[in-house]
Amino acid sequence: KAGVTQTPRYLIKTRGQQVTLSCSPISGHRSVSWYQQTPGQGLQFLFEYFSETQRNKGNFPGRFSGRQFSNSRSEMNVSTLELGDSALYLCASSLISGVDNEQFFGPGTRLTVL
Amino acid sequence: SQKIEQNSEALNIQEGKTATLTCNYTNYSPAYLQWYRQDPGRGPVFLLLIRENEKEKRKERLKVTFDTTLKQSLFHITASQPADSATYLCALDALNTDKLIFGTGTRLQVFP
């Protein structure tokens, strides 16, 4: 069974631009969560989508948004990029929603904002 | 506010010894606690989940304990191998939500 895939793997943008990251969950998984990982803050929860609906949201500004499609694929968008948005963005999928479920992480998208 | 603490300093041990990593939390009582392994440049990989009513869980060379009185989880790797070298993250469910909060992780280095 194929794992979680994320595209692109690396991205370089400049301040003020916007970016869209994509995540394809494991086949059959309906929950997709997004995380931001930085050396200083560690892994921080951005949001979770389940059956095309946002179920949970972390403490990030409105510049961070996401969506999920009917095939469970998910996209995350960051508008008006700031230097501090440079991070590894990880997507994780699970069969169903809930913190008692194993999460399968993708390899991440490394975003650098110049 | 809820806080998770993992030893930020790397843990260096000799091959064959037991590695013990600590995850402490404050200001709430999680129902679930998970442990993940992360290698450089890769996403975390799930290892074990333990519930608040379970004191201990084992999987091959791994053992996790969950002490709700001490607000602490211990993660043990017995007969450690150099291939066990990685960063280990603990994660807990956030209060009254379905969100997972991750600790910053502890880097384990196993020397031959």
Side-chain angles (χ1 to χ4, degrees):
Chain A
K1 197 192 267 194
V4 177
T5 58
Q6 291 187 246
T7 56
R9 290 294 312 278
Y10 303 91
L11 207 47
I12 299 176
K13 292 284 188 179
T14 56
R15 276 182 300 173
Q17 286 187 308
Q18 76 161 20
V19 67
T20 300
L21 312 181
S22 181
C23 171
S24 291
I26 290 173
S27 178
H29 285 196
R30 294 167 61 193
S31 171
V32 173
S33 297
W34 288 90
Y35 295 85
Q36 180 196 66
Q37 188 173 35
T38 58
Q41 299 294 319
L43 253 171
Q44 292 189 286
F45 175 79
L46 280 155
F47 27 66
E48 182 205 358
Y49 286 88
F50 180 75
S51 294
E52 301 179 67
T53 302
Q54 187 181 86
R55 283 200 75 244
N56 285 296
K57 192 176 188 311
N59 298 323
F60 278 82
R63 300 184 297 107
F64 292 81
S65 63
R67 59 177 174 167
Q68 187 180 34
F69 302 96
S70 58
N71 61 358
S72 293
R73 192 177 70 83
S74 177
E75 285 182 349
M76 188 193 108
N77 186 77
V78 188
S79 62
T80 320
L81 284 166
E82 300 177 0
L83 294 180
D85 297 333
S86 294
L88 180 67
Y89 289 88
L90 291 158
C91 151
S93 76
S94 58
L95 268 172
I96 57 175
S97 185
V99 290
D100 57 339
N101 292 288
E102 173 183 352
Q103 295 208 42
F104 294 81
F105 282 84
T109 294
R110 171 76 60 187
L111 172 65
T112 301
V113 182
L114 302 175
Chain B
S1 63
Q2 303 144 31
K3 196 174 176 185
I4 302 173
E5 288 182 348
Q6 291 186 259
N7 194 340
S8 58
E9 290 185 16
L11 177 64
N12 299 313
I13 65 165
Q14 192 174 22
E15 182 176 11
K17 302 289 186 186
T18 296
T20 299
L21 288 74
T22 305
C23 176
N24 294 302
Y25 57 93
T26 57
N27 296 334
Y28 78 127
S29 299
Y32 306 96
L33 192 149
Q34 301 187 27
W35 282 90
Y36 287 79
R37 167 189 172 135
Q38 186 173 24
D39 292 282
R42 310 187 87 163
V45 174
F46 173 83
L47 296 173
L48 282 165
L49 178 150
I50 188 166
R51 294 174 170 77
E52 61 177 337
N53 60 349
E54 298 175 314
K55 297 295 182 191
E56 180 181 298
K57 203 154 198 180
R58 292 174 186 260
K59 179 183 174 183
E60 297 170 357
R61 295 185 296 113
L62 309 180
K63 184 178 88 170
V64 171
T65 62
F66 194 0
D67 190 326
T68 55
T69 302
L70 290 179
K71 292 188 181 296
Q72 179 183 79
S73 174
L74 297 179
F75 178 80
H76 307 271
I77 305 176
T78 57
S80 58
Q81 306 164 0
D84 295 326
S85 298
T87 295
Y88 291 85
L89 304 158
C90 70
L92 299 88
D93 57 298
L95 181 64
N96 296 328
T97 75
D98 270 345
K99 297 188 287 191
L100 268 184
I101 300 178
F102 280 82
T104 50
T106 298
R107 191 161 147 263
L108 172 67
Q109 193 80 28
V110 181
F111 292 97

